[in-house]
Amino acid sequence: MSQKRYKILAVEQENSFTKTLTLDCNDAVMPGQFYMVWVPGVGQKPFSVSGAKPLQFSIADVGPVSKEIDSKKPGDYLWLTGPYGNTFKLNGKKAVMIGGGYGTGPMRYLCMLAVQNGITPNLVIGARSKDRLMKHPASVKTFLCTDDGSEGRKGFVTDALAEILKNEKIDAIYACGPEKMMQAIGKAAKGQGIFCQLLLERYMKCGFGMCGQCSCGESLICVDGPVYGLEILDNPEFGKFHRDASGRKVNL
Ligand SMILES: Cc1cc2nc3c(=O)[nH]c(=O)nc-3n(C[C@H](O)[C@H](O)[C@H](O)COP(=O)(O)OP(=O)(O)OC[C@H]3O[C@@H](n4cnc5c(N)ncnc54)[C@H](O)[C@@H]3O)c2cc1C
């Protein structure tokens, strides 16, 4: 797959440390898919698509590559390889999409596709505090949760999910965020027999199955995922261990 250079058309501040970049790229990409984004002289990292036609990424400034992307302005360029990865499967009539931190990007995009497909979505967005919450579309019923209670419900996204499941018949649950959060969501969905898909994001170097950095047990997230069904709950590494930059297995 060859690398291409794309111009940045717009940069929108989502919160104090996350920006959404719109690129001059009209690839037909779906939520779940990702690109390897290269910043010359700094490095290459995977980023989930948070919108398409034109392509969007929502990127949190946490380290060298993301910081460099965060400093980009409209008219600057990014180098992309992709798209890679599988996509979500929309299912039923009513759904819940749950995003933790920057994981809200692909969930927000999935919500908009659900609406276009006649599915009623509930969007749940979680963050540590108000200044880390991502924006949400006014047209979608949204539940905000913060760990410190500075905005929305004080507590975890799983509390909001439990409330929704008590009040509505939900056909499908989708989530992207920290693995422990997705593990709890997956268990709740399994307990109630609800279709569920989870988008995993692990440290990744190549994006096409060579480096093994993103492995989760016997699965490679870049080629087998990043979207998984509830079978991931039986993976012995899911929600427990990942690999750090050096490839060492560490506790999550
Ligand atoms: C499929 C996939 C999709 C992704 N999509 C997005 C996205 O849409 N938006 C976004 O902001 N980031 C996303 N990431 C994470 C992103 O690829 C980078 O890991 C992140 O930007 C940090 O890179 P860095 O070079 O800036 O900092 P680094 O020095 O690599 O990391 C800074 C800190 O973040 C931790 N970290 C890095 N990557 C991960 C990870 N995947 N999970 C947990 N902790 C991590 C490191 O341990 C370190 O503590 C995605 C990752 C994957 C695998």
Side-chain angles (χ1 to χ4, degrees):
M1 203 177 279
S2 61
Q3 195 173 56
K4 281 194 193 152
R5 189 183 80 150
Y6 293 99
K7 190 185 270 184
I8 297 170
L9 299 177
V11 178
E12 188 191 356
Q13 194 83 41
E14 289 274 353
N15 57 40
S16 57
F17 83 129
T18 310
K19 288 178 180 169
T20 291
L21 289 85
T22 304
L23 278 80
D24 188 14
C25 169
N26 284 311
D27 286 355
V29 283
M30 302 293 281
Q33 290 185 285
F34 65 92
Y35 285 82
M36 297 304 292
V37 180
W38 180 52
V39 183
V42 186
Q44 178 179 248
K45 286 283 159 75
F47 293 99
S48 297
V49 303
S50 62
K53 297 194 169 193
L55 181 65
Q56 291 186 312
F57 297 114
S58 300
I59 298 181
D61 169 8
V62 296
V65 173
S66 51
K67 181 168 284 309
E68 193 58 30
I69 296 174
D70 183 75
S71 72
K72 299 284 179 204
K73 304 271 177 295
D76 291 344
Y77 290 90
L78 288 176
W79 281 253
L80 267 55
T81 317
Y84 294 108
N86 60 357
T87 65
F88 289 101
K89 184 177 182 297
L90 285 169
N91 196 25
K93 295 250 174 285
K94 280 192 175 185
V96 182
M97 283 76 173
I98 307 171
Y102 62 75
T104 303
M107 290 296 104
R108 200 169 54 187
Y109 178 26
L110 188 64
C111 266
M112 302 322 289
L113 289 183
V115 171
Q116 286 167 23
N117 282 277
I119 296 168
T120 307
N122 292 273
L123 179 61
V124 180
I125 302 181
R128 260 183 262 168
S129 52
K130 181 181 178 176
D131 61 325
R132 286 171 179 254
L133 278 170
M134 284 186 51
K135 293 183 178 165
H136 58 90
S139 55
V140 171
K141 190 169 160 195
T142 305
F143 300 77
L144 302 177
C145 307
T146 50
D147 296 356
D148 63 1
S150 50
E151 176 102 30
R153 167 197 281 271
K154 183 177 189 310
F156 297 131
V157 291
T158 39
D159 302 333
L161 174 64
E163 187 185 310
I164 296 168
L165 294 180
K166 211 161 53 182
N167 296 324
E168 288 183 52
K169 188 194 168 302
I170 295 297
D171 303 305
I173 300 171
Y174 306 90
C176 179
E179 270 188 31
K180 291 222 182 278
M181 174 196 106
M182 292 197 289
Q183 195 178 33
I185 291 166
K187 284 181 182 167
K190 190 174 181 180
Q192 301 210 24
I194 301 173
F195 175 85
C196 178
Q197 289 186 315
L198 307 169
L199 196 171
L200 272 62
E201 294 182 344
R202 289 189 159 209
Y203 212 104
M204 194 181 280
K205 285 182 178 161
C206 70
F208 54 87
M210 283 287 286
C211 72
Q213 194 86 19
C214 66
S215 63
C216 183
E218 292 180 356
S219 190
L220 288 174
I221 285 171
C222 61
V223 289
D224 301 325
V227 177
Y228 290 84
L230 287 174
E231 73 282 356
I232 196 71
L233 293 178
D234 300 324
N235 185 310
E237 291 195 6
F238 177 64
K240 294 191 186 77
F241 311 104
H242 75 134
R243 276 166 184 75
D244 66 11
S246 67
R248 204 163 37 112
K249 193 169 153 183
V250 290
N251 289 331
L252 270 171

